[in-house]
Each structure stands twice: as structure tokens, then as C-alpha cells.
Amino acid sequence: MKRGSKLADWGNSLLFLGPTTLFFAMTVIIPFLYGIYLTLFKMDNPTDPMVFSGIYNYLNAMDDKDFWESLWLTLKFVFATVFFVNMVGFGLAYLVTSGMKIQNSLRTAYFTPNLIGGLLLGYIWQFIFVQSLPAIGGKMGIRWLELGWLGDPDMAFWALVIVTIWQTSGYMMIIFIAGLISIPKDLIEASTIDGAGPLRRLFNVTLPLMVPSFVVTVFLSLKNAFMVYDLNFALTKGGPFDSTKMVSMHVVNKAFVESNYGTGQAEAIILFVIVAVVTGFQVYSSKKMEVEA
């Protein structure tokens, strides 16, 4: 086979991309297409035969009040976590690239929470919110620490937000560090020579050049917030009184707890479309804000 020929190029592409494409198709594309197929059938009981129902499941999903309430709660969670995760992540990255002697140790410490799985993390923080904080609040006389965080609807929501920020900010920090390091030093030096102070350099030089990093981190934090399940399950299980039941937990419960597979899968497809539209718009609009160094 002649080197550089089209056949050789196809062979090389198949050799390197074939296994990855095959596994991606088996784990993502085929299950996704099969999921769409399942939404066209009525399955109210796992023992009943599949009956073609067209858009019946989608109509049920549109009429599911609990689904839209959980989606609205998830949107609140998205707004809270995306903002704070990126703000804290950038602040940590700015801190550990400032030339401190212990900055490498701080990078490791801040990134470590991301290595803990969502289920384990949820159980750890459940102990903190239920046992540790009330005990500390009782001894120190701090009233708001004595309250049962996970027993109050509003406090349980913010407890979930706090744990999410604590877990994911370190991961975003790594992306921001890469962006900060890639900023040309001559631009920073030129702005300093021109008399720009630290704040002006931050807002007029650093942040505009960090837009590509923000595109990535906002995309990841959006996706993680919309799809949160394991932490939600381990920390609050959707309680109290379904006040923290995010949309992913509702979809799973609809399909596997209530055994309503068709409607649950239809809600999953609707959620996928919503997330795809939101993240696509975010990437498109953010790309227009990028500037070249």
C-alpha cells in the first residue's frame, strides 16, 4: 500500500480512531438512540409488553408538574453554583499563581476535594451538617449553626450549593491556572509600565484574555449542575419534602422507582435538549467575547 495514498490515510485513521469511535458508539450513541426509541412506547410496568404510543410519553412529560418544579429548582441551583464555582475557582487560581512559596502545596490542597466521589462526599458532608456544625454551634452559642441544615428546605438547598462549590472549584482552578500561565508576560509588563495598578491589570488585561478559559469552565459547571445526582442523593435524597430534588433525581425516580420507563426516558430527552441548547448558546456567545493577545 503506497504511503500517502487515500487508502493508507483511511487505514491509519481507522487504526487510531476506530477503537475510540467504537467504544464511544457503544457507550453513548447507541444507548442514546435506543433511549429515543423507548420514548415511543408505553411501559408503565416492566412486566407488560411494549406498546407503541407515539408522542404519548412526551405529552405525559409536558404535563408532569413535578418535573417542571424540579427543573425550576435545578435552574436556581445552576445559577448559584456556576457563578460561585467560577468566581472561587478563578480566585484560587489567581492566588496560587501569585508567586507564593507554598503555591504548589495549595494547588494540591484545593484540587483534592475533586478526587472524592459524589456519594462519599455527600455522606461526609451529611455528617458535618447534621452532627458537627450543630455541636460547634451549641458550644459556641452560634444560633444559625445549631439549626439542622438538612432539615430546613432553604438551608438544605444552600448546603447542596456549598458542597458543590467546595468539590468543583479546585478542578476549575486547574483550567484557570493554565489560562493565567498562557498570558504573555510582556502584556503584563507593558501595562505596569503604563501605570496600571493591580485592579486595572486584572480587569483590563487579565480577564479579557481569560475568556477562553471561562468558556470551558462555565460549560463544565453548567453541565455538572444540570446533571447533578450522586451528591444530591447522598446529601439530601431530595428532602426535606422534595425541596432539594433536582431534575436528574426526578427523572431517575420516574423511570426506576415509579417504573414509568417511557415517561422517564422522555423527560430525560427533554432535559438533554434543554442542556444542549443552554450550553450551546453559552459557548456561542462566549466565543464572540474572546480577544487575541
Side-chain angles (χ1 to χ4, degrees), residues 49-195:
M50 296 173 58
V51 179
F52 181 78
S53 59
I55 62 172
Y56 169 82
N57 290 314
Y58 291 97
L59 295 177
N60 272 356
M62 298 297 290
D63 290 335
D64 189 351
K65 182 181 177 181
D66 291 338
F67 172 70
W68 297 108
E69 287 181 353
S70 64
L71 180 60
W72 174 244
L73 179 66
T74 304
L75 288 174
K76 294 180 182 178
F77 179 76
V78 167
F79 282 117
T81 55
V82 168
F83 175 77
F84 286 111
V85 163
N86 284 277
M87 184 179 69
V88 173
F90 179 78
L92 295 177
Y94 203 74
L95 175 66
V96 299
T97 55
S98 59
M100 301 171 61
K101 292 183 179 180
I102 60 171
Q103 65 181 25
N104 290 333
S105 299
L106 290 177
R107 292 181 187 184
T108 303
Y110 294 145
F111 182 75
T112 300
N114 186 72
L115 302 177
I116 305 175
L119 285 174
L120 179 60
L121 191 70
Y123 291 128
I124 292 173
W125 276 89
Q126 187 182 77
F127 174 81
I128 293 174
F129 285 123
V130 174
Q131 301 290 338
S132 301
L133 291 182
I136 294 173
K139 290 183 178 181
M140 300 183 65
I142 304 176
R143 177 61 180 167
W144 61 274
L145 282 181
E146 292 184 69
L147 301 174
W149 280 60
L150 303 184
D152 180 86
D154 294 327
M155 296 182 71
F157 173 82
W158 287 106
L160 194 58
V161 171
I162 290 171
V163 178
T164 301
I165 295 170
W166 186 80
Q167 180 189 25
T168 56
S169 293
Y171 184 82
M172 303 307 168
M173 176 195 70
I174 300 299
I175 300 174
F176 285 127
I177 289 174
L180 288 170
I181 293 175
S182 66
I183 296 177
K185 295 185 182 298
D186 54 350
L187 290 179
I188 304 296
E189 294 172 356
S191 63
T192 304
I193 294 173
D194 290 339

Side-chain angles (χ1 to χ4, degrees), residues 42-46 48-49 56-57 60 258-263:
K42 186 177 180 181
M43 294 179 293
D44 295 332
N45 192 300
D48 294 339
Y56 169 82
N57 290 314
N60 272 356
E258 301 178 18
S259 297
N260 196 339
Y261 299 106
T263 302

